[in-house]
Amino acid sequence: MTKIAGGLERAFAARGFTEPSVEELRDAAGVSLRTLYKYAPSRDAMVRLALEHRHQRYLSHIFTTPTGSVPQSLEDTLDRVADWMRTEASHGCLFHAAVVSAPTDRSLRSLLERHKAEISQLAASQAGNDVTASDALVILEGLTQAWPLAKEAALISAKRLAALAKRAAVAH
């Protein structure tokens, strides 16, 4: 199942959600069409499977270090998000792209909302009293959305905003 989900994720990340044919998705998943449809009986199911896989990989990449410990500050988290953007998502957020490709699909919107809520809550909880989940959401989203245009400058700005949020939290 992980092999299928990973192949689908790579195909959608590379070609978008409307471009790859079912045959291309089958080839990317490395299985027969019958097996692909067994685990994902529709294109919508394939998209959801790919996004769930992406969510788990993102959580692991951002919130687990090679030693198994977790980043302790929002700045550490921002560095890991920038690393993800450099290697995995230079064109922007795959969850946002999915919603854009099917704007009336409530299940995709729900996946996007759950993904962003979980990420921002984890980032805020690791940062302690430095930022709220809402602060973390805005800073992380700013970084991921600005990355395709500004690259490293987006990381510098995100870190500056995180420092301002931390100072504001300490002042209150």
Side-chain angles (χ1 to χ4, degrees), residues 4-20:
I4 294 169
L8 292 172
E9 177 199 349
R10 285 187 299 280
F12 289 130
R15 309 254 341 264
F17 291 96
T18 57
E19 185 70 26

Side-chain angles (χ1 to χ4, degrees), residues 31-53:
V31 296
S32 69
L33 195 56
R34 182 181 186 143
T35 300
L36 177 59
Y37 277 125
K38 176 182 175 186
Y39 291 101
S42 68
R43 187 179 197 88
D44 289 345
M46 292 176 202
V47 169
R48 284 190 290 283
L49 185 63
L51 290 175
E52 289 290 349
H53 185 262

Side-chain angles (χ1 to χ4, degrees), residues 18 31 37 101 113 124 141 156 172:
T18 57
V31 296
Y37 277 125
S101 74
E113 290 170 357
E141 280 300 287
I156 293 166
H172 287 96

Side-chain angles (χ1 to χ4, degrees), residues 79-167:
D79 284 331
R80 296 181 71 76
V81 169
D83 181 60
W84 175 270
M85 298 305 293
R86 284 183 206 104
T87 60
E88 301 282 340
S90 61
H91 301 296
C93 177
L94 195 61
F95 288 84
H96 281 291
V99 170
V100 167
S101 74
T104 60
D105 186 327
R106 290 202 173 289
S107 67
L108 286 180
R109 178 73 183 190
S110 179
L111 274 173
L112 168 67
E113 290 170 357
R114 190 189 82 205
H115 172 72
K116 298 302 181 180
E118 191 169 341
I119 299 306
S120 59
Q121 289 166 359
L122 280 168
S125 69
Q126 287 184 355
N129 293 329
D130 290 351
V131 294
T132 66
S134 181
D135 290 341
L137 175 66
V138 170
I139 294 166
L140 291 167
E141 280 300 287
L143 174 56
T144 59
Q145 293 304 310
W147 186 267
L149 298 172
K151 306 273 188 259
E152 300 299 324
L155 175 61
I156 293 166
S157 293
K159 286 182 176 183
R160 188 177 310 117
L161 292 171
L164 289 170
K166 181 177 181 174
R167 275 183 268 176

